[in-house]
C-alpha cells in the first residue's frame, strides 16, 4: 500500500516521467538504455575502453593533449536517458534528483573521491544564476559532500566572466569561450592552497570548462584537481 505522499507525489521514472514502483528509480525501459561507465577506462580522462588493456593505460587524447586535472570520472554516457535526467535537474526545478545522481557518481568516482580533501562545483556566473535560480553542479556537489564527508567549498571558485552557452560550439570555440572565466577570490585561497580538490559538474563534453576551472584552482595553489561529472559525451562508438 502506498503512502499519502505517494498519492500527492507519485514515484516516477527519473528518465521519462512514467509512474514506477519506487521513488528515485528508472523504469525498465530507461534502465535498459542507460549506459553506465564501467572499467576499463582511461586512467586520466575516464574514457571507456572496449577491452581491458591493463591498469594505468591512457587513451590517445590523454597522451596527445594531457589535461591539467589529475583524473576525470563520469557515471554514465550522455545519451537520451542521461540527457533527460540532467535536463530535469537543470531546467525543471528537480533538485531532488541530485541525491540519486550523486549516488551513481560516488560509485563511478571512487578513486577520485578517495584522493580528494574537499569538493566544489563548477560555478555559474551571477547573472545566469539569477535567471536559473540554482546551480545544478552545486546541487550535485552538495549531495556528494553529504554522501562522502568531503568538505564542501561552495564559494572557493567564481565565474567572473559571463560566457556564451557551450551548446553548439566546436572544441576550439568552447575552449576560447571559457578561457580565463574562473578565479579563486583572494579571501578563499587558503581553502584551496595545497589541497586535493574534487571539481563537480553535470556533463563532460570536450572538457573545456573543467580544464579552465582547474587551471584557476592550480594557479591559486591547489595541489591537485580531480573531476567528477554525472555524464560524459561518448568519444565515439562504444
Amino acid at each position: 500500500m502506498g503512502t499519502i505522499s505517494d498519492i500527492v507525489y507519485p514515484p516516477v521514472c527519473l528518465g521519462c516521467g512514467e509512474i514506477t514502483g519506487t521513488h528515485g528509480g528508472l523504469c525498465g525501459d530507461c534502465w535498459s538504455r542507460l549506459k553506465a561507465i564501467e572499467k576499463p577506462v582511461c586512467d586520466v580522462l575516464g574514457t571507456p575502453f572496449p577491452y581491458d588493456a591493463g591498469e594505468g593505460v591512457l587513451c590517445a587524447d590523454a597522451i596527445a593533449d594531457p589535461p591539467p586535472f589529475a583524473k576525470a570520472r563520469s557515471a554514465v554516457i550522455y545519451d537520451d536517458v542521461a540527457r533527460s535526467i540532467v535536463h530535469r535537474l537543470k531546467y525543471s526545478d528537480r533538485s531532488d534528483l541530485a541525491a540519486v545522481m550523486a549516488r551513481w557518481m560516488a560509485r563511478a568516482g571512487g578513486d577520485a573521491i578517495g584522493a580528494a580533501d574537499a569538493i566544489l562545483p563548477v560555478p555559474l556566473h551571477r547573472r545566469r544564476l539569477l535567471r536559473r535560480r540554482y546551480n545544478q553542479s552545486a546541487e550535485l556537489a552538495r549531495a556528494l559532500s553529504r554522501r562522502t564527508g568531503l568538505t564542501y567549498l561552495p564559494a572557493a571558485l567564481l565565474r567572473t566572466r559571463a560566457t556564451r552557452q557551450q551548446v553548439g560550439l566546436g572544441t576550439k570555440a568552447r575552449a576560447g569561450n571559457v578561457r580565463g572565466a574562473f578565479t579563486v577570490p583572494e579571501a578563499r585561497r587558503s581553502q584551496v592552497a595545497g589541497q586535493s580538490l574534487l571539481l563537480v559538474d553535470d556533463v563532460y563534453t570536450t572538457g573545456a570548462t573543467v580544464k579552465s576551472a582547474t587551471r584557476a584552482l592550480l594557479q591559486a595553489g591547489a595541489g591537485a584537481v580531480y573531476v567528477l561529472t554525472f555524464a560524459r559525451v561518448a568519444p565515439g562508438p562504444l
Side-chain angles (χ1 to χ4, degrees):
M1 178 181 291
T3 65
I4 292 177
S5 64
D6 285 342
I7 296 173
V8 179
Y9 301 107
V12 298
C13 172
L14 303 184
C16 66
E18 292 295 318
I19 298 293
T20 60
T22 58
H23 289 281
L26 296 169
C27 68
D29 181 57
C30 286
W31 180 257
S32 68
R33 292 188 291 118
L34 187 71
K35 297 183 179 70
I37 297 177
E38 307 280 357
K39 291 183 178 181
V41 298
C42 168
D43 191 53
V44 170
L45 292 180
T47 308
F49 286 141
Y51 59 89
D52 191 350
E55 289 292 324
V57 175
L58 304 184
C59 64
D61 287 342
I63 295 171
D65 185 20
F69 51 76
K71 291 179 187 290
R73 295 291 183 265
S74 304
V76 299
I77 292 295
Y78 192 58
D79 59 6
D80 290 344
V81 177
R83 183 181 299 108
S84 177
I85 296 171
V86 168
H87 282 201
R88 286 169 186 266
L89 171 66
K90 196 169 183 175
Y91 302 117
S92 300
D93 293 332
R94 290 293 308 275
S95 58
D96 57 298
L97 299 184
V100 180
M101 297 163 73
R103 184 174 73 236
W104 296 343
M105 292 166 71
R107 178 177 175 273
D111 53 350
I113 291 168
D117 301 309
I119 187 169
L120 71 164
V122 170
L124 291 177
H125 188 268
R126 61 183 180 276
R127 290 208 294 268
R128 187 165 295 166
L129 182 59
L130 284 172
R131 289 198 303 269
R132 196 176 289 170
R133 299 194 303 279
Y134 67 92
N135 177 5
Q136 74 281 354
S137 299
E139 296 299 316
L140 292 171
R142 188 180 294 110
L144 277 163
S145 174
R146 294 192 190 105
R147 175 168 287 274
T148 63
L150 289 174
T151 301
Y152 180 47
L153 304 176
L157 184 67
L158 297 179
R159 189 185 294 244
T160 53
R161 182 165 57 80
T163 56
R164 296 171 55 195
Q165 290 276 5
Q166 294 279 70
V167 176
L169 299 181
T171 301
K172 289 184 178 180
R174 282 173 175 264
N177 188 40
V178 294
R179 186 176 294 117
F182 301 96
T183 191
V184 175
E186 191 66 38
R188 303 287 180 175
R189 293 199 166 215
S190 61
Q191 292 183 329
V192 307
Q195 298 293 294
S196 291
L197 302 173
L198 184 68
L199 181 65
V200 173
D201 205 0
D202 54 353
V203 181
Y204 185 110
T205 305
T206 64
T209 299
V210 292
K211 288 175 183 176
S212 180
T214 293
R215 292 187 183 99
L217 291 167
L218 294 176
Q219 288 169 5
V225 177
Y226 297 82
V227 173
L228 181 57
T229 67
F230 172 69
R232 71 163 293 141
V233 173
L238 297 178

